Amino acid sequence: MNNYFEEVTSNLSFTDLSILGHLADHEANTLFKSIKKKVVQDVLKLTEANLRKSLYRLQALKFIVIETSEKEHSVYITNFGQQALYISFSEEVE
Amino acid sequence: MNNYFEEVTSNLSFTDLSILGHLADHEANTLFKSIKKKVVQDVLKLTEANLRKSLYRLQALKFIVIETSEKEHSVYITNFGQQALYISFSEEVE
């Protein structure tokens, strides 16, 4: 079970990684620094369906938190998400 | 990172677990024994949106495989999915 984290991380899509990368680049790693979904969609030029799919995936993996208490939902990256991003970049450089 | 598997497993929704349970009950654990998405939806009385959301989640977690080579997509449970189901049931009994 030790390699489970690596397995799901290697299974991330380009869109998944783009979202994680955008959140990490903007230090959106706490509720106070979370970024509105609509902004993520616009900056990364995603369709609503593709954004929704990746957010469902990343939420299930606990790589992001989706904050829904406000009318406009916002997202931030978790420690697990930052580790996944780090692993993904390391593998690309190798 | 050892408890990552337990963390994502404890985060599964009722619909996620229902789908895993249905696949396990019918021994749909290989491509040849996979079950059509439409059948899963009908048996569990899910809306299309709820089915899609759970399948995206379970696929990202590698708890299921979605086979898309045929026109009608079908799904089966992986070893990771069976372990997640086992843990979830064990926790409920405790």
Side-chain angles (χ1 to χ4, degrees), chain B residues 54-93:
Chain B
S54 273
L55 294 185
Y56 285 155
R57 289 167 52 82
L58 294 171
Q59 186 180 36
L61 292 163
K62 290 197 151 208
F63 288 175
I64 61 168
V65 172
I66 305 179
E67 175 55 33
T68 58
S69 61
E70 300 287 322
K71 191 181 165 199
E72 277 200 79
H73 296 180
S74 60
V75 291
Y76 62 93
I77 191 169
T78 63
N79 286 339
F80 284 138
Q82 287 174 331
Q83 288 178 56
L85 198 58
Y86 179 77
I87 291 174
S88 301
F89 277 122
S90 308
E91 282 170 354
E92 281 196 14
V93 173

Short mmCIF file of all heavy atoms in Angstrom, two decimals, chain B residues 54-93:
data_model
loop_
_atom_site.label_atom_id
_atom_site.label_comp_id
_atom_site.label_asym_id
_atom_site.label_seq_id
_atom_site.Cartn_x
_atom_site.Cartn_y
_atom_site.Cartn_z
N SER B 54 -19.35 10.33 -9.11
CA SER B 54 -18.72 9.23 -8.36
C SER B 54 -17.73 8.46 -9.22
O SER B 54 -16.67 8.04 -8.74
CB SER B 54 -19.77 8.28 -7.80
OG SER B 54 -20.21 8.74 -6.54
N LEU B 55 -18.07 8.26 -10.49
CA LEU B 55 -17.14 7.52 -11.36
C LEU B 55 -15.84 8.31 -11.55
O LEU B 55 -14.75 7.73 -11.55
CB LEU B 55 -17.79 7.19 -12.70
CG LEU B 55 -18.97 6.20 -12.66
CD1 LEU B 55 -19.46 5.87 -14.07
CD2 LEU B 55 -18.61 4.91 -11.91
N TYR B 56 -15.95 9.64 -11.71
CA TYR B 56 -14.74 10.47 -11.81
C TYR B 56 -13.89 10.32 -10.55
O TYR B 56 -12.67 10.21 -10.62
CB TYR B 56 -15.11 11.95 -11.97
CG TYR B 56 -15.62 12.37 -13.33
CD1 TYR B 56 -16.43 13.49 -13.47
CD2 TYR B 56 -15.26 11.68 -14.48
CE1 TYR B 56 -16.89 13.91 -14.71
CE2 TYR B 56 -15.71 12.08 -15.72
CZ TYR B 56 -16.53 13.21 -15.84
OH TYR B 56 -16.98 13.63 -17.06
N ARG B 57 -14.56 10.34 -9.40
CA ARG B 57 -13.86 10.25 -8.12
C ARG B 57 -13.17 8.88 -7.97
O ARG B 57 -11.97 8.81 -7.67
CB ARG B 57 -14.85 10.45 -6.96
CG ARG B 57 -15.36 11.88 -6.81
CD ARG B 57 -16.58 11.97 -5.87
NE ARG B 57 -16.37 11.34 -4.60
CZ ARG B 57 -15.74 11.92 -3.56
NH1 ARG B 57 -15.27 13.15 -3.68
NH2 ARG B 57 -15.60 11.28 -2.42
N LEU B 58 -13.94 7.82 -8.21
CA LEU B 58 -13.42 6.47 -8.01
C LEU B 58 -12.31 6.13 -9.01
O LEU B 58 -11.38 5.39 -8.70
CB LEU B 58 -14.56 5.45 -8.11
CG LEU B 58 -15.62 5.56 -7.00
CD1 LEU B 58 -16.82 4.65 -7.31
CD2 LEU B 58 -15.03 5.20 -5.63
N GLN B 59 -12.42 6.71 -10.22
CA GLN B 59 -11.39 6.48 -11.23
C GLN B 59 -10.07 7.17 -10.83
O GLN B 59 -9.00 6.57 -10.95
CB GLN B 59 -11.88 7.01 -12.58
CG GLN B 59 -10.96 6.70 -13.74
CD GLN B 59 -11.50 7.27 -15.05
OE1 GLN B 59 -12.09 8.35 -15.08
NE2 GLN B 59 -11.31 6.54 -16.13
N ALA B 60 -10.18 8.39 -10.33
CA ALA B 60 -8.97 9.12 -9.90
C ALA B 60 -8.28 8.38 -8.76
O ALA B 60 -7.05 8.34 -8.68
CB ALA B 60 -9.34 10.54 -9.46
N LEU B 61 -9.08 7.76 -7.89
CA LEU B 61 -8.55 7.01 -6.75
C LEU B 61 -8.04 5.63 -7.14
O LEU B 61 -7.51 4.90 -6.29
CB LEU B 61 -9.64 6.86 -5.67
CG LEU B 61 -10.07 8.15 -4.95
CD1 LEU B 61 -11.40 7.96 -4.24
CD2 LEU B 61 -8.98 8.59 -3.98
N LYS B 62 -8.25 5.26 -8.40
CA LYS B 62 -7.88 3.93 -8.91
C LYS B 62 -8.63 2.82 -8.17
O LYS B 62 -8.09 1.72 -7.99
CB LYS B 62 -6.36 3.70 -8.84
CG LYS B 62 -5.60 4.56 -9.86
CD LYS B 62 -4.19 4.04 -10.09
CE LYS B 62 -3.68 4.37 -11.48
NZ LYS B 62 -2.71 3.43 -11.98
N PHE B 63 -9.84 3.12 -7.73
CA PHE B 63 -10.68 2.13 -7.07
C PHE B 63 -11.52 1.38 -8.10
O PHE B 63 -12.06 0.30 -7.82
CB PHE B 63 -11.60 2.78 -6.03
CG PHE B 63 -10.88 3.25 -4.79
CD1 PHE B 63 -11.55 3.96 -3.80
CD2 PHE B 63 -9.53 2.99 -4.59
CE1 PHE B 63 -10.88 4.39 -2.66
CE2 PHE B 63 -8.86 3.43 -3.46
CZ PHE B 63 -9.54 4.13 -2.49
N ILE B 64 -11.69 1.98 -9.28
CA ILE B 64 -12.40 1.31 -10.38
C ILE B 64 -11.62 1.57 -11.67
O ILE B 64 -10.79 2.48 -11.74
CB ILE B 64 -13.84 1.83 -10.59
CG1 ILE B 64 -13.83 3.34 -10.94
CG2 ILE B 64 -14.73 1.57 -9.38
CD1 ILE B 64 -15.17 3.86 -11.45
N VAL B 65 -11.92 0.74 -12.68
CA VAL B 65 -11.45 1.00 -14.04
C VAL B 65 -12.69 1.20 -14.90
O VAL B 65 -13.66 0.44 -14.78
CB VAL B 65 -10.61 -0.17 -14.58
CG1 VAL B 65 -10.29 0.03 -16.07
CG2 VAL B 65 -9.31 -0.32 -13.78
N ILE B 66 -12.67 2.25 -15.71
CA ILE B 66 -13.77 2.47 -16.65
C ILE B 66 -13.28 2.05 -18.04
O ILE B 66 -12.29 2.58 -18.54
CB ILE B 66 -14.21 3.95 -16.68
CG1 ILE B 66 -14.56 4.41 -15.26
CG2 ILE B 66 -15.42 4.13 -17.62
CD1 ILE B 66 -14.99 5.88 -15.17
N GLU B 67 -13.96 1.06 -18.60
CA GLU B 67 -13.57 0.52 -19.90
C GLU B 67 -14.36 1.26 -20.97
O GLU B 67 -15.59 1.23 -20.96
CB GLU B 67 -13.89 -0.98 -19.91
CG GLU B 67 -13.66 -1.67 -21.21
CD GLU B 67 -12.23 -1.48 -21.72
OE1 GLU B 67 -11.30 -1.40 -20.90
OE2 GLU B 67 -12.06 -1.38 -22.94
N THR B 68 -13.64 1.92 -21.88
CA THR B 68 -14.32 2.79 -22.84
C THR B 68 -14.16 2.32 -24.29
O THR B 68 -14.49 3.05 -25.21
CB THR B 68 -13.78 4.23 -22.72
OG1 THR B 68 -12.36 4.20 -22.96
CG2 THR B 68 -14.05 4.83 -21.36
N SER B 69 -13.64 1.10 -24.47
CA SER B 69 -13.40 0.66 -25.84
C SER B 69 -14.71 0.30 -26.56
O SER B 69 -14.79 0.40 -27.78
CB SER B 69 -12.43 -0.52 -25.87
OG SER B 69 -12.98 -1.60 -25.16
N GLU B 70 -15.72 -0.11 -25.80
CA GLU B 70 -17.03 -0.38 -26.40
C GLU B 70 -17.87 0.89 -26.35
O GLU B 70 -17.58 1.80 -25.57
CB GLU B 70 -17.76 -1.49 -25.61
CG GLU B 70 -17.03 -2.80 -25.56
CD GLU B 70 -17.06 -3.55 -26.89
OE1 GLU B 70 -18.11 -3.50 -27.56
OE2 GLU B 70 -16.04 -4.15 -27.27
N LYS B 71 -18.93 0.91 -27.14
CA LYS B 71 -19.80 2.09 -27.16
C LYS B 71 -20.42 2.33 -25.78
O LYS B 71 -20.43 3.44 -25.27
CB LYS B 71 -20.91 1.90 -28.21
CG LYS B 71 -21.69 3.16 -28.50
CD LYS B 71 -22.80 2.91 -29.52
CE LYS B 71 -23.78 4.07 -29.52
NZ LYS B 71 -25.06 3.71 -30.12
N GLU B 72 -20.91 1.25 -25.18
CA GLU B 72 -21.45 1.36 -23.83
C GLU B 72 -20.33 1.11 -22.82
O GLU B 72 -19.83 -0.01 -22.72
CB GLU B 72 -22.57 0.33 -23.61
CG GLU B 72 -23.91 0.77 -24.14
CD GLU B 72 -25.04 -0.03 -23.48
OE1 GLU B 72 -25.40 0.30 -22.33
OE2 GLU B 72 -25.53 -0.98 -24.10
N HIS B 73 -19.96 2.15 -22.10
CA HIS B 73 -18.86 2.02 -21.14
C HIS B 73 -19.25 1.09 -19.99
O HIS B 73 -20.39 1.07 -19.56
CB HIS B 73 -18.48 3.40 -20.59
CG HIS B 73 -17.95 4.32 -21.63
ND1 HIS B 73 -17.54 5.60 -21.38
CD2 HIS B 73 -17.76 4.13 -22.96
CE1 HIS B 73 -17.12 6.16 -22.50
NE2 HIS B 73 -17.25 5.30 -23.48
N SER B 74 -18.25 0.35 -19.50
CA SER B 74 -18.52 -0.54 -18.38
C SER B 74 -17.43 -0.35 -17.32
O SER B 74 -16.37 0.23 -17.61
CB SER B 74 -18.58 -1.99 -18.85
OG SER B 74 -17.35 -2.35 -19.44
N VAL B 75 -17.71 -0.80 -16.10
CA VAL B 75 -16.80 -0.55 -14.99
C VAL B 75 -16.53 -1.82 -14.18
O VAL B 75 -17.37 -2.71 -14.12
CB VAL B 75 -17.36 0.54 -14.03
CG1 VAL B 75 -17.35 1.90 -14.68
CG2 VAL B 75 -18.76 0.18 -13.56
N TYR B 76 -15.36 -1.86 -13.59
CA TYR B 76 -15.07 -2.94 -12.64
C TYR B 76 -14.20 -2.41 -11.50
O TYR B 76 -13.56 -1.36 -11.62
CB TYR B 76 -14.45 -4.16 -13.32
CG TYR B 76 -13.12 -3.97 -14.00
CD1 TYR B 76 -11.93 -4.23 -13.32
CD2 TYR B 76 -13.04 -3.57 -15.33
CE1 TYR B 76 -10.69 -4.09 -13.95
CE2 TYR B 76 -11.81 -3.42 -15.96
CZ TYR B 76 -10.64 -3.68 -15.26
OH TYR B 76 -9.43 -3.52 -15.88
N ILE B 77 -14.22 -3.14 -10.39
CA ILE B 77 -13.52 -2.72 -9.18
C ILE B 77 -12.08 -3.26 -9.19
O ILE B 77 -11.83 -4.37 -9.69
CB ILE B 77 -14.30 -3.19 -7.92
CG1 ILE B 77 -13.77 -2.55 -6.64
CG2 ILE B 77 -14.30 -4.71 -7.80
CD1 ILE B 77 -14.68 -2.78 -5.42
N THR B 78 -11.15 -2.47 -8.67
CA THR B 78 -9.74 -2.88 -8.60
C THR B 78 -9.44 -3.47 -7.21
O THR B 78 -10.28 -3.41 -6.31
CB THR B 78 -8.81 -1.66 -8.80
OG1 THR B 78 -9.05 -0.76 -7.71
CG2 THR B 78 -9.09 -0.96 -10.13
N ASN B 79 -8.23 -3.96 -7.03
CA ASN B 79 -7.81 -4.43 -5.71
C ASN B 79 -7.83 -3.29 -4.69
O ASN B 79 -8.25 -3.48 -3.55
CB ASN B 79 -6.40 -5.03 -5.77
CG ASN B 79 -6.42 -6.39 -6.43
OD1 ASN B 79 -7.46 -7.05 -6.50
ND2 ASN B 79 -5.26 -6.82 -6.92
N PHE B 80 -7.39 -2.10 -5.11
CA PHE B 80 -7.44 -0.94 -4.21
C PHE B 80 -8.89 -0.68 -3.79
O PHE B 80 -9.17 -0.38 -2.62
CB PHE B 80 -6.89 0.32 -4.91
CG PHE B 80 -5.39 0.36 -5.04
CD1 PHE B 80 -4.79 0.79 -6.23
CD2 PHE B 80 -4.56 0.04 -3.98
CE1 PHE B 80 -3.41 0.87 -6.35
CE2 PHE B 80 -3.17 0.11 -4.08
CZ PHE B 80 -2.60 0.52 -5.28
N GLY B 81 -9.82 -0.76 -4.75
CA GLY B 81 -11.23 -0.52 -4.46
C GLY B 81 -11.78 -1.54 -3.47
O GLY B 81 -12.56 -1.20 -2.57
N GLN B 82 -11.37 -2.79 -3.64
CA GLN B 82 -11.84 -3.84 -2.73
C GLN B 82 -11.29 -3.62 -1.31
O GLN B 82 -12.01 -3.82 -0.33
CB GLN B 82 -11.43 -5.22 -3.27
CG GLN B 82 -12.28 -5.58 -4.50
CD GLN B 82 -11.84 -6.86 -5.19
OE1 GLN B 82 -10.67 -7.22 -5.16
NE2 GLN B 82 -12.77 -7.53 -5.84
N GLN B 83 -10.05 -3.18 -1.23
CA GLN B 83 -9.47 -2.89 0.09
C GLN B 83 -10.19 -1.71 0.75
O GLN B 83 -10.44 -1.70 1.96
CB GLN B 83 -7.98 -2.59 -0.04
CG GLN B 83 -7.16 -3.83 -0.35
CD GLN B 83 -5.68 -3.51 -0.52
OE1 GLN B 83 -5.05 -2.94 0.36
NE2 GLN B 83 -5.12 -3.87 -1.66
N ALA B 84 -10.51 -0.70 -0.06
CA ALA B 84 -11.21 0.48 0.47
C ALA B 84 -12.58 0.07 1.01
O ALA B 84 -13.02 0.54 2.07
CB ALA B 84 -11.37 1.54 -0.62
N LEU B 85 -13.25 -0.79 0.28
CA LEU B 85 -14.58 -1.27 0.69
C LEU B 85 -14.47 -2.06 1.98
O LEU B 85 -15.28 -1.89 2.90
CB LEU B 85 -15.13 -2.15 -0.43
CG LEU B 85 -16.63 -2.43 -0.46
CD1 LEU B 85 -17.43 -1.14 -0.53
CD2 LEU B 85 -16.96 -3.32 -1.67
N TYR B 86 -13.46 -2.90 2.07
CA TYR B 86 -13.24 -3.73 3.26
C TYR B 86 -13.00 -2.84 4.49
O TYR B 86 -13.60 -3.04 5.55
CB TYR B 86 -12.05 -4.66 3.02
CG TYR B 86 -11.74 -5.54 4.20
CD1 TYR B 86 -12.52 -6.67 4.47
CD2 TYR B 86 -10.68 -5.25 5.05
CE1 TYR B 86 -12.25 -7.47 5.57
CE2 TYR B 86 -10.40 -6.04 6.15
CZ TYR B 86 -11.19 -7.16 6.41
OH TYR B 86 -10.92 -7.94 7.49
N ILE B 87 -12.15 -1.82 4.31
CA ILE B 87 -11.87 -0.89 5.42
C ILE B 87 -13.14 -0.16 5.84
O ILE B 87 -13.43 -0.01 7.02
CB ILE B 87 -10.78 0.13 5.00
CG1 ILE B 87 -9.42 -0.56 4.85
CG2 ILE B 87 -10.70 1.28 6.00
CD1 ILE B 87 -8.33 0.36 4.30
N SER B 88 -13.92 0.28 4.86
CA SER B 88 -15.13 1.06 5.16
C SER B 88 -16.13 0.22 5.95
O SER B 88 -16.73 0.71 6.90
CB SER B 88 -15.78 1.55 3.87
OG SER B 88 -14.89 2.35 3.15
N PHE B 89 -16.30 -1.03 5.56
CA PHE B 89 -17.23 -1.91 6.28
C PHE B 89 -16.71 -2.21 7.68
O PHE B 89 -17.46 -2.22 8.65
CB PHE B 89 -17.47 -3.20 5.51
CG PHE B 89 -18.51 -3.06 4.45
CD1 PHE B 89 -18.23 -3.34 3.12
CD2 PHE B 89 -19.81 -2.64 4.77
CE1 PHE B 89 -19.21 -3.20 2.14
CE2 PHE B 89 -20.78 -2.49 3.80
CZ PHE B 89 -20.47 -2.76 2.49
N SER B 90 -15.41 -2.46 7.81
CA SER B 90 -14.81 -2.75 9.11
C SER B 90 -15.05 -1.60 10.08
O SER B 90 -15.39 -1.79 11.24
CB SER B 90 -13.31 -2.99 8.99
OG SER B 90 -13.04 -3.95 8.01
N GLU B 91 -14.89 -0.36 9.58
CA GLU B 91 -15.06 0.82 10.44
C GLU B 91 -16.50 0.96 10.90
O GLU B 91 -16.77 1.40 12.01
CB GLU B 91 -14.61 2.07 9.70
CG GLU B 91 -13.10 2.20 9.67
CD GLU B 91 -12.60 3.29 8.75
OE1 GLU B 91 -13.42 3.89 8.04
OE2 GLU B 91 -11.39 3.53 8.75
N GLU B 92 -17.44 0.58 10.03
CA GLU B 92 -18.85 0.73 10.41
C GLU B 92 -19.26 -0.27 11.49
O GLU B 92 -20.12 0.01 12.30
CB GLU B 92 -19.74 0.52 9.18
CG GLU B 92 -19.78 1.78 8.32
CD GLU B 92 -20.92 1.74 7.33
OE1 GLU B 92 -21.81 0.91 7.48
OE2 GLU B 92 -20.90 2.58 6.42
N VAL B 93 -18.62 -1.44 11.46
CA VAL B 93 -18.98 -2.49 12.41
C VAL B 93 -18.44 -2.17 13.80
O VAL B 93 -19.06 -2.49 14.80
CB VAL B 93 -18.45 -3.86 11.90
CG1 VAL B 93 -18.66 -4.94 12.95
CG2 VAL B 93 -19.15 -4.23 10.60
#
